[in-house]
Structures are given as C-alpha cells and as structure tokens.
Amino acid sequence: MGQRRMRSGGAVRVLQSYIGPGPRTNPYIVQLHDRLAATPGLARRSFSWRTALLGRYDVFHAHWPEALIERRGLLSTAGRYVLYGLVLARMLLRGTPVVRTVHNVEPPRGIGGIERLLLTGTDRMTRMRILLNEFTPVPPGAQTTLIEHGHYRDWFARYRPAGPVAGRVLFFGKVRRYKNVEGLLGAFHDLPDDALSLRVVGSPSSEELADALRSAAGADPRIELELRFVEDAELVQEIGAARLIVLPYPEMHNSGSVLAALSLDRAVLVPDNAFNRALEEEVGSGWVIRFEGDLDASDLERGLAVAASRRGRPDLSRRDWGDTGRRHLDAYRRAIRRR
C-alpha cells in the first residue's frame, strides 16, 4: 500500500511515537513536529493508542519508544505492555516499517525483561535508522541516513537572555546519575576562588539522587541547587547568566543540552570523545572545551579561562532546520521501499 501511495503521489502518513507535543515536550521534538507539518507530501500524526491500533499510517517513527512503556504503576504498566505488543503485532502483519531516530546508543538502564523484549521487537522491525551524528554505531547491514540535530536559535529567539556573571558555572537539564553531577560538585569544591559560583538546574530522576546532590553540595555557599523542571524563559536566563556550561556525563553521544548552550552563545566543557572533537571543529575553536578522564578543578579553571576569551558566535550553519522535513520524508520513503 505504501508503494502504491508513493507512485500515485499521495502523502506518506507517518505516526510519530511522541504524544502531543505539549508544554513540556523536548524542543527538538516540537521543532521537528512543525517542520514535518510544513513538508509537502507528508502527513504526520502524533501518537495515541487508538491511532496506533486502529488508524491508517504507512510508517511508524520511533524516537524514544521506551517512553510509551515506562513503568508508572502496576495496572498502567501492564496495560501499556499489552497495547504496545498489539501495536507491534499489527505493524508486523501489515508490513508497516519502523523508522528509528537513534537518540541513545545503549538501551535504557534498569528495564525489565518485558520492556527489553518489546524494544528488541521494535529494533527488529526498523527499516531505516536516522542518525544525529556520524559516530553512531549501528548493526551490520542497517540502512541509515544522517540528519543532524538542529540548533535552538529560532526556538530561543523569543526570549532575551541575561548577561554572563563572572565566574558562573552551570549544569542544566534532566539530572540523572550517569551525568556525573556529583563529580562536578566534587571538582568545584576543590576550586579555592570565593568569587566563583555553581548552579545545578534541572529535575532529578529520584529523591534519592536529589538527597545525594544536597549532601555533595554540603555547606559550600557558592553552590546553588535548583532541583526542579524550569520553563524555557527561565532556562534561557540561567544559560545566559553562565560564563561556562559544564556537562560532565562520560557517555555523551547526542546532547541537545550542548546545542542549547551553543545556540545561546555559551561555551561548554564536555568529555573528550570523537563526537565532541568533531563538534569543536564544526562550530569553531574555543566553544567546545574538552577534558580527559575524571573532571577535576583544573579542568574547570581552564574552561572558565577559555570561555571568558570567547567573542562572536559559534558556527551552527550545519544545524539549520531548513530542509529537515524533506530529509525525513526521503527516509520514510526509503523505509517503505525496504519493507
């Protein structure tokens, strides 16, 4: 059916795996949603269980499919396991291909056997993988297309950022254990300068982690923890007030937070890896500052010194959203041909 629609000039109907978007939806998804809506030949639909089970669509586009089956209570979780299993069965019977944007290299941590089984089924039905950077590993023989993660300059343009505060260091985003925020707090403690300050802004994954961060911050008056979700207007103020953004998570592969910081013309201190080395070359020297091994106080001092010397804006021309919709439509068509 998908091939007949393509030959006859009909729009390719794509069911996205996200619900909404809503006020707290990842801005990447919202911008993509708008670009797809404006793309001729493409009819995009947000996810609902009714549409997934009964609606007509030619492609299922999975972003973070684990979000559809994450644990939220015994009955709710069991119900969503059953529903998602039925969705996979329906797509298998109808030959509906899956297109997967590879946001994360590794599967989510802490998932159970049923979740792993459902996600493995999704991967096996995937006919096209959209890569956000050229360093993403994929299974042998997998079909891929590179569509770079877009910038946030247009998204943040409605807000007026604050000016930088001398010596201000910022971590922002969802706070997870693997992001090594405790390591950042420890490294900052070792800085002797009382004129420096550190803010950690974002919602923690658990109250236990929040308690651990409060304990790690201790009585240092230079450290402020804002452990909650912040709206975009407030986030722009936080990033604007920072002299240096520090994102110390060692497993960094695709990071919307890095691009958010660069979109607001703030330098970032990140782990040394192939992706961050390429990003530094792409956006211009001094905007992406790398550290090796465990983060320590000397890395923070060096990062602040480099960030203070930056002028102008990073080059984000490769991250423009202009042809994102067309490139996704091409990926959907290729997946339909391979089903």
Side-chain angles (χ1 to χ4, degrees):
M1 179 177 66
Q3 292 181 2
R4 289 198 298 272
R5 289 182 62 82
M6 289 170 60
R7 286 196 293 268
S8 64
V12 177
R13 300 165 299 188
V14 182
L15 178 64
Q16 300 288 335
S17 67
Y18 54 78
I19 298 172
R24 292 194 175 187
T25 302
N26 186 319
Y28 166 84
I29 291 295
V30 180
Q31 292 184 97
L32 176 62
H33 180 86
D34 293 343
R35 289 290 173 177
L36 297 181
T39 301
L42 196 160
R44 59 101 183 95
R45 301 176 180 179
S46 299
F47 187 89
S48 74
W49 292 114
R50 180 180 179 84
T51 302
L53 289 168
L54 302 176
R56 299 180 64 186
Y57 49 96
D58 305 308
V59 176
F60 177 60
H61 186 173
H63 292 274
W64 295 275
E66 61 270 16
L68 295 171
I69 54 175
E70 65 183 356
R71 300 171 192 172
R72 298 179 186 172
L74 184 60
L75 291 179
S76 175
T77 300
R80 281 181 288 107
Y81 286 169
V82 171
L83 290 172
Y84 193 70
L86 291 173
V87 170
L88 291 182
R90 181 182 192 243
M91 291 193 297
L92 182 63
L93 290 173
R94 294 173 62 89
T96 304
V98 175
V99 172
R100 179 77 179 269
T101 296
V102 187
H103 292 278
N104 301 315
V105 175
E106 299 294 335
R109 296 184 178 184
I111 62 174
I114 297 177
E115 292 166 283
R116 191 173 298 277
L117 178 65
L118 293 171
L119 295 178
T120 298
T122 305
D123 281 343
R124 289 181 176 175
M125 294 171 63
T126 297
R127 296 294 173 265
M128 176 63 62
R129 286 171 169 80
I130 295 174
L131 310 184
L132 299 177
N133 69 68
E134 56 267 49
F135 303 101
T136 303
V138 295
Q143 293 294 308
T144 66
T145 186
L146 175 64
I147 305 178
E148 297 86 353
H149 193 308
H151 61 65
Y152 295 99
R153 279 179 173 164
D154 299 333
W155 181 260
F156 290 143
R158 73 197 81 173
Y159 308 111
R160 185 178 182 86
V165 175
R168 170 71 58 82
V169 176
L170 172 69
F171 171 94
F172 71 92
K174 293 180 179 179
V175 183
R176 303 291 183 263
R177 285 201 178 275
Y178 75 88
K179 294 186 177 182
N180 192 32
V181 181
E182 291 176 86
L184 169 59
L185 294 172
F188 188 83
H189 275 308
D190 292 336
L191 291 172
D193 191 345
D194 289 337
L196 302 180
S197 61
L198 167 64
R199 284 184 60 79
V200 174
V201 178
S203 177
S205 57
S206 68
E207 190 56 37
E208 290 78 13
L209 178 56
D211 290 340
L213 295 178
R214 295 184 188 103
S215 176
D220 193 329
R222 304 173 299 168
I223 298 176
E224 296 179 336
L225 304 179
E226 200 69 48
L227 302 180
R228 60 180 177 84
F229 174 83
V230 297
E231 302 289 348
D232 287 337
E234 187 176 355
L235 178 61
V236 168
Q237 295 303 307
E238 293 284 358
I239 296 174
R243 177 64 73 183
L244 175 69
I245 309 299
V246 182
L247 302 171
Y249 28 109
E251 298 177 7
M252 180 178 292
H253 177 67
N254 294 308
S255 176
S257 295
V258 169
L259 289 174
L262 294 174
S263 296
L264 290 167
D265 306 329
R266 291 297 178 265
V268 293
L269 178 64
V270 291
D272 180 43
N273 59 32
F275 168 68
N276 287 329
R277 287 193 293 272
L279 185 61
E280 179 185 13
E281 183 176 350
E282 174 189 337
V283 304
S285 177
W287 290 104
V288 177
I289 308 158
R290 295 172 285 110
F291 67 89
E292 297 182 2
D294 295 330
L295 179 71
D296 61 28
S298 65
D299 296 317
L300 295 176
E301 289 178 326
R302 177 172 55 88
L304 282 165
V306 173
S309 69
R310 291 301 86 212
R311 297 293 182 270
R313 309 190 78 186
D315 180 4
L316 299 180
S317 57
R318 189 185 178 197
R319 308 287 167 168
D320 187 77
W321 287 87
D323 63 347
T324 298
R326 177 193 59 77
R327 294 166 74 185
H328 276 79
L329 178 57
D330 289 345
Y332 300 147
R333 287 173 169 163
R334 289 172 59 191
I336 291 172
R337 288 194 293 267
R338 294 193 70 245
R339 70 178 187 172

